[in-house]
């Protein structure tokens, strides 16, 4: 009954024993109570997160039959956002038995922005020029513009051979609860000892769907374009070129369950 819009139902039991007191008749009387619906939703604690982002995760609308299971589902949806330390969804003044029950949603937001940097020294001979310093930096915003989505920016460079940067945008509820959308872009340029300068850029688009609380299915498309120019160390003829240009584009479709 609590999931059928009748949270105020009452059950009474009557026991009728026979004279020998070895058998009993059980009579159950059920008072279903009035029909009860969802009322207004009150949101508290959202300093940065927009209210419509929270309301989108609640699986009911005002005027629909009251269902306690939907309160639990809404609380799980908000916890899966990963932008709250705690979430609590409770009915208001249920003890007074109103016909329209208001719902209180209380959230505690996490610290949303992080910045990191890295300074390193590489002293191991590799395919690139050895012994160089490099710097890397990253920035992550876990509640971009209060929309519940994530943005991550990363970059690194050294003073001799390479630099690169990447960006990622993730929407944890792109199409509703249980859906995730990821977009990643990158660019990198390196000067190698064998092949000279190499440029690579591209990106990926991915969609993930929660099947159960522990099982996910995803589809992702990766597109990468690389460009290199190889220099020939030889005497040039009238029809020769000093370099050979090679451009390669790779596309990949990935499906999986994890």
């Amino acid at each position: 009954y609590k999931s059928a819009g009748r949270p105020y139902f009452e059950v009474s039991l009557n026991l009728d024993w026979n004279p020998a007191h070895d058998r009993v008749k059980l009579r159950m009387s059920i008072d279903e109570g009035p029909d009860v619906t969802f009322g207004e939703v009150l949101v508290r604690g959202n300093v940065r997160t927009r209210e419509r982002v929270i309301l989108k995760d609640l699986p009911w609308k005002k005027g629909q039959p009251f269902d306690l299971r939907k309160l639990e589902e809404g609380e799980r949806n908000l916890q899966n956002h990963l932008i709250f330390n705690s979430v609590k969804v409770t009915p208001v003044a249920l003890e007074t038995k109103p016909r329209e029950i208001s719902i209180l949603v209380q959230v505690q937001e996490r610290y949303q922005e992080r910045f990191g940097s890295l300074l390193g020294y590489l002293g191991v001979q590799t395919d690139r020029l050895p012994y160089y310093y490099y710097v890397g930096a990253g920035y992550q915003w876990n509640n971009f513009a209060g929309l519940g989505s994530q943005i991550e920016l990363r970059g690194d460079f050294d003073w001799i051979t390479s630099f690169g940067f990447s960006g990622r945008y993730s929407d944890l509820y792109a199409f509703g609860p249980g859906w995730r959308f990821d977009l990643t872009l990158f660019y990198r340029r390196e000067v190698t000892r064998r092949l000279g300068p190499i440029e690579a850029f591209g990106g990926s688009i991915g969609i993930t769907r929660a099947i159960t609380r522990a099982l996910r299915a995803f589809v992702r498309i990766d597109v990468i374009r690389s460009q290199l120019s190889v220099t020939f160390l030889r005497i040039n003829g009238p029809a020769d070129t000093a370099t050979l240009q090679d451009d390669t584009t790779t596309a990949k479709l990935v499906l999986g369950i994890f």
Side-chain angles (χ1 to χ4, degrees):
Y1 283 98
K2 290 183 178 181
S3 300
R6 296 179 182 269
Y8 309 135
F9 75 97
E10 295 180 357
V11 178
S12 60
L13 299 176
N14 294 318
L15 303 179
D16 185 8
W17 292 92
N18 66 348
H21 213 72
D22 57 2
R23 293 185 180 181
V24 64
K25 292 182 180 180
L26 177 63
R27 293 184 175 87
M28 179 183 297
S29 299
I30 300 177
D31 180 7
E32 294 183 337
D35 291 327
V36 179
T37 60
F38 283 104
E40 299 288 343
V41 177
L42 310 174
V43 181
R44 299 290 183 269
N46 56 319
V47 178
R48 297 186 178 183
T49 307
R50 301 187 184 187
E51 185 171 305
R52 64 182 178 87
V53 174
I54 296 175
L55 296 178
K56 185 173 66 173
D57 286 340
L58 304 180
W60 71 82
K61 302 294 183 182
K62 181 180 179 181
Q64 292 181 343
F66 181 77
D67 188 341
L68 281 176
R69 292 178 302 181
K70 291 186 176 181
L71 299 185
E72 299 171 356
E73 182 182 350
E75 192 168 287
R76 287 196 302 269
N77 290 343
L78 291 170
Q79 289 171 342
N80 289 337
H81 247 312
L82 304 179
I83 59 175
F84 303 118
N85 286 324
S86 65
V87 177
K88 190 174 183 181
V89 181
T90 55
V92 177
L94 192 62
E95 65 280 358
T96 62
K97 298 183 178 181
R99 296 290 296 274
E100 187 178 82
I101 300 179
S102 298
I103 306 299
L104 176 62
V105 179
Q106 297 172 288
V107 299
Q108 183 186 57
E109 296 178 324
R110 292 181 180 176
Y111 182 70
Q112 306 300 341
E113 298 175 66
R114 292 187 298 176
F115 177 82
S117 60
L118 175 67
L119 175 63
Y121 171 73
L122 184 61
V124 179
Q125 181 145 353
T126 64
D127 186 47
R128 299 187 298 179
L129 296 177
Y131 312 117
Y132 64 91
Y133 293 92
Y134 61 92
V135 174
Y139 174 78
Q140 183 174 346
W141 189 356
N142 288 327
N143 191 1
F144 172 64
L147 298 174
S149 53
Q150 298 177 349
I151 281 186
E152 183 177 15
L153 302 175
R154 293 182 179 274
D156 66 87
F157 69 93
D158 60 60
W159 283 268
I160 300 178
T161 62
S162 69
F163 71 92
F165 57 86
S166 64
R168 177 180 62 86
Y169 172 79
S170 298
D171 191 339
L172 302 181
Y173 285 77
F175 312 107
W179 291 91
R180 173 175 175 143
F181 172 81
D182 291 282
L183 172 64
T184 303
L185 300 173
F186 78 93
Y187 173 84
R188 187 159 196 85
R189 176 180 172 84
E190 296 189 10
V191 178
T192 65
R193 301 184 65 183
R194 296 178 182 177
L195 300 178
I198 298 177
E199 285 184 299
F201 57 91
S204 66
I205 297 177
I207 297 177
T208 304
R209 170 63 176 170
I211 302 174
T212 66
R213 296 186 66 180
L215 189 63
R216 304 286 188 274
F218 73 93
V219 56
R220 190 180 74 241
I221 299 175
D222 301 329
V223 178
I224 301 174
R225 182 174 178 83
S226 61
Q227 299 175 336
L228 60 89
S229 180
V230 181
T231 302
F232 292 99
L233 301 178
R234 64 180 184 179
I235 300 175
N236 294 333
D240 287 343
T241 58
T243 61
L244 175 64
Q245 190 76 22
D246 179 64
D247 297 338
T248 303
T249 301
T250 304
K252 180 171 61 175
L253 176 64
V254 183
L255 303 172
I257 297 179
F258 64 96

